[in-house]
Amino acid sequence: DTGVSQDPRHKITKRGQNVTFRCDPISEHNRLYWYRQTLGQGPEFLTYFQNEAQLEKSRLLSDRFSAERPKGSFSTLEIQRTEQGDSAMYLCASNPGAGEKLFFGSGTQLSVL
Amino acid sequence: AQRVTQPEKLLSVFKGAPVELKCNYSYSGSPELFWYVQYSRQRLQLLLRHISRESIKGFTADLNKGETSFHLKKPFAQEEDSAMYYCALSVDTGGFKTIFGAGTRLFVKA
């Protein structure tokens, strides 16, 4: 598969639990982005990587959120002590360079009960 | 601050009618603008970008720096155009990231 893949597609968890999502970008893309999308809103930028370096993290992002891209390939997004307000679609995207079009994954739908 | 505004949440037109989805942006730098589309049960994908100056599926968009707008237009809407449309702006904050508007749902009626 040459597209961006995300795992899992759906995650249901109880408030206070930790969750981790994985994203595999298109292999030749050195940039990887995480977005969050809630109903009726566009994708909201969370963070992005160039290779293994995390270059920017949204100021709106709680300290409970952390992302890694250890070898410059796949990335993980972890949310600690989940809250009901974290319920959203978490989207991953990649592109080959600055300002280029984004290729999106199908997303991980998180529901916090 | 950088911002993308799509004033219409829903736009409903009849098949064959012209359609215009509005997008305004706020950015002090040189704008790089995109339209992304999400069809039912599909992932978000690029429709067009202003730098390409191309027409995709009959859609065009012109960057108007004076009005800070990048409206998406199509002269004759088709039912298969029904989808969510997002205007997006690539901004340089030391690297480049893309920010999105809230989206407009286009519904083309038969």
Side-chain angles (χ1 to χ4, degrees):
Chain A
D1 182 33
T2 57
V4 178
S5 62
Q6 292 187 245
D7 183 70
R9 292 292 301 273
H10 304 275
K11 178 69 177 179
I12 300 173
T13 191
K14 291 183 179 179
R15 189 176 53 185
Q17 297 295 305
N18 298 346
V19 295
T20 300
F21 310 140
R22 176 180 171 125
C23 171
D24 287 88
I26 293 172
S27 58
E28 59 267 28
H29 288 180
N30 59 22
R31 286 173 170 249
L32 185 149
Y33 305 77
W34 285 100
Y35 287 86
R36 176 173 58 193
Q37 187 173 23
T38 53
L39 202 61
Q41 298 298 318
E44 174 194 10
F45 171 80
L46 296 180
T47 188
Y48 86 97
F49 294 84
Q50 179 164 311
N51 300 314
E52 65 274 8
Q54 187 173 17
L55 295 188
E56 185 172 345
K57 185 175 175 180
S58 170
R59 283 172 289 173
L60 301 176
L61 204 57
S62 160
D63 289 343
R64 297 183 295 104
F65 287 70
S66 62
E68 293 183 339
R69 195 183 183 197
K71 296 182 179 179
S73 56
F74 72 92
S75 175
T76 57
L77 177 68
E78 180 183 19
I79 309 174
Q80 296 182 324
R81 304 181 303 281
T82 52
E83 301 173 357
Q84 288 184 326
D86 297 332
S87 295
M89 174 71 82
Y90 289 84
L91 295 169
C92 177
S94 69
N95 67 5
E100 295 295 318
K101 75 176 187 180
L102 295 172
F103 293 79
F104 279 88
S106 297
T108 295
Q109 181 67 53
L110 173 66
S111 297
V112 182
L113 305 178
Chain B
Q2 309 99 358
R3 186 168 55 249
V4 177
T5 303
Q6 294 181 251
E8 304 136 330
K9 281 213 171 287
L10 173 66
L11 187 61
S12 182
V13 301
F14 283 102
K15 177 182 173 181
V19 62
E20 182 180 46
L21 287 79
K22 292 183 166 50
C23 171
N24 288 90
Y25 67 91
S26 173
Y27 181 48
S28 57
S30 181
E32 179 71 38
L33 285 148
F34 306 79
W35 277 98
Y36 285 82
V37 61
Q38 188 166 27
Y39 301 103
S40 180
R41 290 185 292 278
Q42 293 188 26
R43 61 185 66 187
L44 200 54
Q45 60 186 290
L46 179 73
L47 178 63
L48 57 79
R49 58 187 298 187
H50 93 270
I51 198 170
S52 301
R53 301 187 66 80
E54 57 190 346
S55 172
I56 304 294
K57 299 185 178 183
F59 284 97
T60 59
D62 290 318
L63 174 61
N64 186 322
K65 290 186 177 181
E67 296 183 358
T68 59
S69 68
F70 188 56
H71 303 328
L72 184 68
K73 300 177 183 179
K74 185 169 183 177
F76 308 104
Q78 303 298 314
E79 290 180 76
E80 55 266 29
D81 295 328
S82 296
M84 279 295 299
Y85 291 81
Y86 295 96
C87 183
L89 169 68
S90 181
V91 298
D92 184 0
T93 54
F96 276 85
K97 67 181 182 187
T98 302
I99 59 174
F100 289 80
T104 298
R105 177 166 296 282
L106 175 64
F107 181 56
V108 182
K109 297 175 285 188

